[in-house]
Amino acid sequence: MPTIRRSAPSPSLPPSTALRSAAWIPHGFQFDPHSHAEGQLVYAAAGALATTTERGTWVAPAHRVTWTPPGFEHAHRFFGTTDARLVTVPVDLCGELVAHPSVFAVGPLLREALLALTDRAETRPGAARRLLAVVIDELAETPEQSLHLPEPHDDRLRAVTDLLHADPGRSATLADLGRSAGASERTLSRLFHTELGMSFHRWRTTLRIHHALAQLSKGRSVTDTAMECGWSNPSSFIDAFTEVVGQPPRPLPGRSAQP
């Protein structure tokens, strides 16, 4: 798994004990691995974030929300100036959602409920709990849409994925990478399927999409991002990105979108 390190904290960051909060977080800010006794939802109303656990990394652009159940050690990294909305889910409600980290699509009702929950103070007793119940109901009916990049344990497979993490745009074939890792193409192909649950091509595409989201969040153009991430032309990048993410690529807005 890639090493997660924390940069200098920003005074605008929410306290870790907040049950629901909103903050503008600077590009590149990272939280060290930690865990919570309760569940946690993190929604980027603008920008994007990645959540990393021992099972791999999940990326959530602005139209998705990350879910981390109680007890899972995780780290966050933010891409672009991010309008981050954090909601703590009490243990008694966590059973309504999946028992593993995931990412969910955010429809209009879920978005408005998350914004309302984190924007306004509670003026009527129980109002926040009732609004949270709406969020849980929406998530329970929403299919998972995880940009999940699993990480291997096998040393040979890890040697290959480390090479690709270092250079996502690398055009080497699996056979080429296998020679560096000391394993055959056939062995590595089998390991990708049995250990990571996907093909080499799918894993590398997902890695490149993760990298592309980070580049787009810096304001890089679609064309420059496509070239840096290993696509031969912008059209093939747009097709792959749209298939995986659910919308065409575009540079993410910066802090200028802040109210």
Side-chain angles (χ1 to χ4, degrees):
M1 183 190 309
T3 301
I4 301 295
R5 296 179 181 173
R6 179 169 25 195
S7 57
S10 160
S12 66
L13 289 172
S16 60
T17 56
L19 297 181
R20 47 197 177 89
S21 56
W24 284 90
I25 299 181
H27 170 71
F29 190 91
Q30 301 182 54
F31 283 111
D32 284 332
H34 60 286
S35 62
H36 304 283
E38 298 178 299
Q40 186 184 78
L41 295 165
V42 183
Y43 171 56
L49 72 136
T51 299
T52 298
T53 77
E54 63 179 7
R55 300 188 181 188
T57 299
W58 287 256
V59 169
H63 61 296
R64 300 187 186 186
V65 60
T66 68
W67 159 243
T68 306
F72 271 89
E73 186 173 86
H74 61 286
H76 295 302
R77 181 176 183 182
F78 297 86
F79 300 104
T81 302
T82 302
D83 180 4
R85 307 303 180 107
L86 183 151
V87 175
T88 296
V89 179
V91 172
D92 63 303
L93 293 179
C94 290
E96 302 293 324
L97 302 177
V98 295
H100 55 267
S102 190
V103 174
F104 293 91
V106 175
L109 177 57
L110 179 56
R111 172 182 168 81
E112 293 307 315
L114 287 168
L115 294 180
L117 193 59
T118 52
D119 269 340
R120 65 194 188 199
E122 185 175 51
T123 56
R124 298 176 60 194
R129 176 81 177 198
R130 291 190 292 273
L131 194 52
L132 179 58
V134 174
V135 169
I136 298 299
D137 283 345
E138 283 295 292
L139 289 172
E141 297 296 325
T142 301
E144 295 179 61
Q145 292 193 350
S146 293
L147 279 172
H148 178 212
L149 187 71
E151 294 296 337
H153 298 289
D154 184 278
D155 289 341
R156 296 162 295 178
L157 198 56
R158 182 175 288 276
V160 169
T161 58
D162 284 349
L163 289 171
L164 294 172
H165 273 296
D167 182 10
R170 186 172 182 161
S171 60
T173 66
L174 187 56
D176 294 334
L177 294 166
R179 282 189 283 273
S180 299
S184 70
E185 179 182 9
R186 181 175 180 180
T187 295
L188 291 171
S189 179
R190 174 178 56 80
L191 287 170
F192 267 101
H193 282 282
T194 58
E195 188 167 334
L196 302 182
M198 61 181 65
S199 68
F200 163 68
H201 174 74
R202 185 67 176 182
W203 191 93
R204 181 162 66 177
T205 297
T206 304
L207 171 68
R208 288 176 170 178
I209 295 296
H210 280 208
H211 189 64
L213 283 164
Q215 297 307 304
L216 291 167
S217 72
K218 300 174 187 177
R220 296 289 299 275
S221 71
V222 170
T223 298
D224 288 346
T225 298
M227 298 299 104
E228 180 171 333
C229 294
W231 275 274
S232 58
N233 58 72
S235 295
S236 58
F237 166 56
I238 291 170
D239 289 344
F241 189 98
T242 303
E243 178 190 356
V244 174
V245 179
Q247 65 180 34
R250 59 182 177 82
L252 296 176
R255 196 181 180 101
S256 60
Q258 181 179 1

